[in-house]
Amino acid sequence: MPIGTGFKLMRRPPLALALAAAICLLLGIEASRAQPASTAELSPSAIPAGRQAKNVAIITIKGEIRSGITAESFKRRLAEAEASGADALVVELDTPGGEIGAVLEICDAIKSSSIPNTVAWVHPDAYSGGAIIALACRTIVASDPATLGDALPIAITAFGMLNSLPEHERQKFLSPLMAEVVDSARRNGYDEYLVQGIVSRGVELWLVEDTQTGERLCIDRAEYALLFGDEPPTSRPRLVSAQTSGTPPNMPSFPGPTPTSPTGTPPPDPKGTDPAAPSPSHTRCRPASPALAAIAKDVSNPQTLSSQRPLFSESDRGRYKLIEYVADGAGPVVMKNADLIHYGFVDQTIRNDEQLKAYFGATYMERLDASWSEGFVAWMTNPIIRGFLIVVFLVALFIELTHPGVALPGAIAALALICLVGPPLMIGMANWWEVAAILAGIGLVVIEIFVLPGFTVF
């Protein structure tokens, strides 16, 4: 309803009307001066055509990312968004990471979705697997403050303790992650070397600019020597390295200001780019660190898009100028909001749902949160909870078998069994044959105790 509709207009003297008009004009001028820059940027006329969307679906990923739970929940909600006719998908991330299988499933679902307009909203943290999921989206926006990075593979015990991971085992986990982020960089116009620094240690980088074209990109030590003919500066890198353990604070598990293209140039909206355009290096992945050379072939094999990184030669010497020392390689890269903007990962700062809606020029926006059953299953399938239920089940079953007729221990054992098997069945994590196998096992124990004691086979 337009403002003022439904109210009677009252007569005012001409002088009063003039004064009122002057006051309103002054207030309007002050309000426009106080308007934040980000709001002005979100005006409908400034929204690129490839970003505009009327119906926006938001899928939230909060907390630990787990196989069979988070991944299946995400795919269910993505299918719901596609069926509802959403023309933009926002993946809101506030996660410390999670299991590598679940992360790769979610990335694959995003890239193969029928909704091409995908945006990751880092709100406020996308550590580890969350960072990899963010890179899979076509565009990234972030709140302020926001953090993205540190996807170094690590091993976590069932009780949440960090396990030491031998380097050869870490490389096995690293290959699919590296292949994933390199593919994302080529699809979405991120710096191909810098994304490698998010998932690996030892990636030392410098930012340079082509003095002829203004293109910017990150280079390694060997490329620096080729372009400048001397040793690079190694003091005060811009980006912060994560802890040497590879896990951010309170991270539960993970096995593991203008956008720039992989060549550093401010690109047009990624929607209009052709990531498959031919390049001198084709699909081969060039490792950003000598330590990654062993997995370069494994990373290159699944690539279908061409790299846009230039191949340097001595003829390029004098063409580039140094901008800054980016990362020292002491740990995986972690970027804050200002860094994300500076290196072209973040398209815009979005602090709330209203700004997000204006970012698309949307008329309708819906949140697709995890269902209560998915949250219940996540809690019930926690390793500690399941361990407790197994102990209760075995003790209660033993008491019932040794004291037949008491009934209460048998009821407790049955309830514990239902709690063990029921939650996974609710979301398709368990099958009927698993239940049948458990019941058959109980039957064999009964035969062993009461029918043929000491026979051992049963």
Side-chain angles (χ1 to χ4, degrees):
M1 182 183 297
I3 297 174
T5 301
F7 292 89
K8 292 182 179 179
L9 296 177
M10 301 178 67
R11 291 183 176 273
R12 296 285 186 223
L15 179 59
L17 287 173
L19 289 173
I23 291 171
C24 290
L25 179 62
L26 289 172
L27 289 175
I29 293 172
E30 292 301 319
S32 65
R33 288 176 179 172
Q35 194 82 331
S38 60
T39 304
E41 292 172 358
L42 299 178
S43 61
S45 60
I47 301 173
R51 185 205 302 168
Q52 290 178 4
K54 295 299 181 183
N55 301 312
V56 178
I58 304 175
I59 298 180
T60 55
I61 298 180
K62 295 184 180 293
E64 183 182 359
I65 299 169
R66 298 174 60 186
S67 293
I69 299 176
T70 313
E72 291 303 320
S73 172
F74 181 89
K75 288 187 283 187
R76 175 190 63 79
R77 289 179 281 167
L78 177 58
E80 185 178 336
E82 292 172 333
S84 66
D87 45 11
L89 173 70
V90 176
V91 183
E92 183 181 352
L93 295 161
D94 183 14
T95 173
E99 298 174 12
I100 185 172
V103 170
L104 295 179
E105 278 189 66
I106 292 172
C107 290
D108 183 66
I110 292 171
K111 291 177 179 179
S112 60
S113 171
S114 62
I115 306 173
N117 190 3
T118 57
V119 177
W121 185 16
V122 182
H123 188 53
D125 297 320
Y127 281 110
S128 198
I132 294 172
I133 292 172
L135 293 172
C137 295
R138 190 177 65 172
T139 308
I140 302 176
V141 297
S143 58
D144 189 13
T147 309
L148 180 147
D150 186 10
L152 183 73
I154 59 173
I156 297 293
T157 68
F159 297 98
M161 304 298 292
L162 181 65
N163 256 358
S164 177
L165 195 63
E167 196 60 30
H168 69 280
E169 291 186 15
R170 190 187 302 277
Q171 296 292 337
K172 291 180 181 180
F173 287 116
L174 188 57
S175 295
L177 294 181
M178 189 72 72
E180 174 61 35
V181 298
V182 168
D183 176 74
S184 295
R186 294 178 180 184
R187 285 173 181 267
N188 305 319
Y190 305 128
D191 191 285
E192 196 170 317
Y193 272 16
L194 193 49
V195 298
Q196 294 182 45
I198 293 175
V199 298
S200 175
R201 289 194 294 245
V203 178
E204 191 175 20
L205 299 172
W206 291 262
L207 183 67
V208 296
E209 180 180 298
D210 188 328
T211 56
Q212 297 180 14
T213 65
E215 295 177 347
R216 289 186 174 188
L217 77 160
C218 290
I219 62 173
D220 61 16
R221 184 177 288 269
E223 291 173 328
Y224 187 97
L226 183 64
L227 293 176
F228 297 97
D230 57 6
E231 287 296 312
T234 55
S235 62
R236 302 184 65 183
R238 177 184 174 106
L239 296 183
V240 177
S241 295
Q243 303 171 21
T244 55
S245 64
T247 175
N250 302 319
M251 173 181 166
S253 70
F254 182 58
T258 302
T260 56
S261 72
T263 55
T265 182
D269 196 334
K271 301 85 181 165
T273 61
D274 179 13
S279 72
S281 58
H282 301 292
T283 60
R284 180 175 63 86
C285 174
R286 280 174 280 166
S289 166
L292 301 175
I295 64 170
K297 182 178 180 180
D298 292 334
V299 175
S300 297
N301 287 339
Q303 301 303 324
T304 58
L305 304 177
S306 299
S307 173
Q308 301 301 304
R309 283 187 59 83
L311 290 170
F312 298 111
S313 66
E314 289 190 0
S315 63
D316 294 314
R317 185 170 294 182
R319 177 173 174 172
Y320 288 83
K321 68 177 181 179
L322 175 66
I323 302 299
E324 63 189 5
Y325 183 33
V326 178
D328 59 10
V333 163
V334 175
M335 291 179 280
K336 297 294 185 180
N337 179 273
D339 303 317
L340 292 167
I341 295 173
H342 180 65
Y343 292 111
F345 286 91
V346 159
D347 181 65
Q348 208 164 97
T349 298
I350 302 292
R351 294 179 173 85
N352 51 51
D353 285 11
E354 289 72 22
Q355 289 186 355
L356 184 65
K357 190 174 183 179
Y359 175 78
F360 292 100
T363 56
Y364 181 73
M365 193 166 68
E366 181 182 9
R367 285 185 169 275
L368 303 176
D369 296 321
S371 65
W372 70 268
S373 59
E374 291 165 342
F376 173 72
V377 171
W379 185 80
M380 290 296 294
T381 54
N382 182 285
I384 296 177
I385 300 297
R386 289 181 67 81
F388 173 75
L389 290 172
I390 289 171
V391 171
V392 169
F393 169 73
L394 293 175
V395 171
L397 179 63
F398 176 78
I399 295 174
E400 180 64 30
L401 292 176
T402 54
H403 298 78
V406 177
L408 181 59
I412 294 175
L415 180 61
L417 181 62
I418 292 172
C419 291
L420 280 168
V421 180
L425 279 172
M426 290 175 64
I427 61 169
M429 286 180 61
N431 296 301
W432 65 267
W433 61 265
E434 295 177 87
V435 179
I438 293 173
L439 295 176
I442 296 173
L444 293 173
V445 170
V446 171
I447 293 174
E448 176 67 31
I449 294 177
F450 296 105
V451 181
L452 296 169
F455 195 68
T456 72
V457 174
F458 294 99

